[in-house]
Amino acid sequence: MAVHVAILKKPYIDMILAGRKTVESRLTKTPLPPYRCVKPGEKIYLKISAGPFRAVATAKDATYHNDLTPRKVQMIRQRLGHAIGGDDAYWKSKQDSRYATLITLTDVQPVNTGPDYGGSRGLAWFTLPEKDQSASFDVPITKGGLRNRYVRVPVRVYEFPAQAYGGRTIDDA
């Protein structure tokens, strides 16, 4: 499963940790992440804008809306405003949004660290690629390999870093 990093202003993370904000919303004019990026069960690390990681949560569910109008944004506010938070200024700034991502958060836990995501560069959401769940793989040792002192490494050799490969000669290896 993918892992996400959400960058929020401190008051919103405090509300999440206190259990007063249970839905993370991203209302945008263009389909920016996390639009159509989050699946139920995925982890979301919450980081303060220009600050540390503060929490990790699990996405209970995620819903997506497109072709929003100011009226539809108002309907989202009426239905979920209590769970989203946000004052009048927040909702006013979002009235021209065309896309919405609404993620119900569960299993919120405080943390002090999070995944390496390479820095925000002005973005507020990162979806990190899924990693292979194992850092190892099986290599069969055959009788012939033992007898002739070799191990045949399968195609997954590409997973080794470049410095792990030998050279063309014994002196280069």
Side-chain angles (χ1 to χ4, degrees):
M1 294 188 146
V3 172
H4 304 273
V5 174
I7 299 176
L8 295 93
K9 293 180 180 173
K10 184 181 182 312
Y12 294 116
I13 293 180
D14 291 342
M15 290 169 61
I16 290 168
L17 284 166
R20 294 190 318 268
K21 177 176 169 57
T22 58
V23 174
E24 174 56 17
S25 64
R26 298 294 168 124
L27 286 89
T28 58
K29 292 182 182 180
T30 60
L32 298 171
Y35 186 74
R36 300 219 183 267
C37 294
V38 179
K39 296 181 181 111
E42 292 181 333
K43 295 287 181 201
I44 303 168
Y45 284 85
L46 307 172
K47 182 186 173 308
I48 296 174
S49 179
F53 285 96
R54 289 283 314 281
V56 63
T58 302
K60 182 177 180 181
D61 63 55
T63 58
Y64 305 97
H65 304 272
N66 60 5
D67 294 328
L68 291 179
T69 63
R71 178 167 158 60
K72 290 179 182 178
V73 171
Q74 183 62 28
M75 290 170 60
I76 291 171
R77 181 182 185 181
Q78 288 171 351
R79 194 177 43 134
L80 294 171
H82 65 284
I84 292 172
D87 56 15
D88 289 339
Y90 168 82
W91 289 102
K92 183 174 181 169
S93 72
K94 300 300 178 182
Q95 71 183 359
D96 292 329
S97 296
R98 303 271 296 143
Y99 298 87
T101 301
L102 305 170
I103 304 163
T104 302
L105 303 174
T106 188
D107 300 326
V108 177
Q109 301 292 321
V111 296
N112 294 319
T113 61
D116 181 19
Y117 66 98
S120 74
R121 301 172 310 278
L123 301 174
W125 193 281
F126 297 88
T127 299
L128 305 177
E130 295 182 45
K131 290 188 175 181
D132 188 354
Q133 295 301 314
S134 66
S136 63
F137 55 90
D138 293 331
V139 176
I141 306 293
T142 64
K143 287 182 184 178
L146 287 173
R147 185 175 53 250
N148 295 304
R149 298 183 182 174
Y150 74 88
V151 175
R152 185 176 305 273
V153 179
V155 176
R156 290 183 66 168
V157 72
Y158 69 86
E159 294 179 10
F160 291 113
Q163 64 268 25
Y165 294 98
R168 291 182 175 260
T169 67
I170 290 176
D171 291 337
D172 292 341

